[in-house]
Amino acid sequence: MEAVARVPIFLSASKPSRVSLPSLSSLSVAARPISNRRRNLRMAARSQATALADPPPKGAESFFRTIISSMEKVYMTRNPTAKAILDLVRSCDGDHICYDHFAFRTFGVEGYGIDSMAKVFMDFGYMPREELRFPTKKLKALWFAPPKIDYIDGGNGIDGPLPRIFISELLVDQMSSQSQEVIRKCIKTSGNGNEHASIASALGCLTWEKPLYSDYQQLARESEYAAWTLVNGYALNHVTISTHQLKSHIRNIKSLNEFIENHGFKLNSEGGTLKVSPDGLLLQSSTVADSTSFNFADGVTESVPCSYIEFAERLVLPQYKNLANDEIKEFHRRDGFEVGNADKIFESTSKDQLTRKAA
């Protein structure tokens, strides 16, 4: 498995209301091995520290939930599989769906990378946590923990616990000169569109002009991630159901996977249907992305991948294994992300997965 840079950021328990954060561009250090025990202790410390942060004002919360609700509506409209699976889960489990995380893709060049999409979340109180790197795919990612807020009792979906945010970016400078030229030409038509990434995501539109089909083909030959971002922009790449917060038998991710496949949906098979972290505490799976027709600037209409839906089960950390089920909170569970899992989840939009027949 490729090395991954992890940059944990801790809050001070003695001064919870004000935190001095480094710039996102400074969050890059050499990777070093972390034992599972040390990692689990750090995860617990981070989760508990996050809970100390001051909650945002109620007015800000309402505004913020409206933004992410708009992002979700665009996502549901464009991705019928995601909507169908959410309806299917509700038919079995009721209104107990909570989101583990939302994910976005970006171009890491000229201000169009992680920072552009992160701004709206950090303004609302989200905290940057760890950076992950994917050298083979020429990507890096950063995830953000939500602020501690109260939510409607029994609230679910957008009205439930706020999701983590996972934002990745293509390391454009590592691409071929031809692909760099395509990306830079594209974003030049955007003006200052990077400053309005969240608006573009909420409205379901690109901040740049529609690309040529030949430009899409150039990127697709080198990076399917790049080609996806060219035609989808800041759109929500996927939402993730928190399976352990469900109430019925499908709260076990293996049971959920079987349930979904039995209803005819295709799951991402890269590295196996179930992706498991080395410590065995983070279990993930995902569907294969939907496709849609895209009208390119030169009049060509072709099918391109849209988004998909993911599922995540976070198991209880070893130091909390003796807690009763009704005492277990989210911070007692495995936090964060794992490069090996995420690397395979990225493949949900790949041509290989889209053209593979369902099991």
Side-chain angles (χ1 to χ4, degrees), residues 5-7 22-31 131 133 140 142:
R6 298 186 174 279
V7 190
S23 65
L24 298 188
S25 60
S26 70
L27 297 177
S28 180
V29 297
E131 182 184 278
R133 291 207 172 237
K140 73 174 181 180
L142 186 63

Side-chain angles (χ1 to χ4, degrees), residues 228-283:
W228 189 96
T229 306
L230 186 70
V231 294
N232 288 281
Y234 290 112
L236 190 53
N237 176 256
H238 66 269
V239 304
T240 301
I241 294 177
S242 178
T243 67
H244 56 268
Q245 298 199 58
L246 299 174
K247 305 301 181 185
S248 68
H249 71 285
I250 59 173
R251 70 193 315 271
N252 175 290
I253 195 169
K254 293 180 181 179
S255 298
L256 178 61
N257 287 346
E258 182 179 352
F259 178 68
I260 289 169
E261 289 187 314
N262 286 344
H263 281 81
F265 294 102
K266 185 165 63 171
L267 295 180
N268 173 352
S269 64
E270 182 70 20
T273 299
L274 186 64
K275 288 69 165 140
V276 183
S277 61
D279 62 11
L281 298 177
L282 176 61
L283 290 68

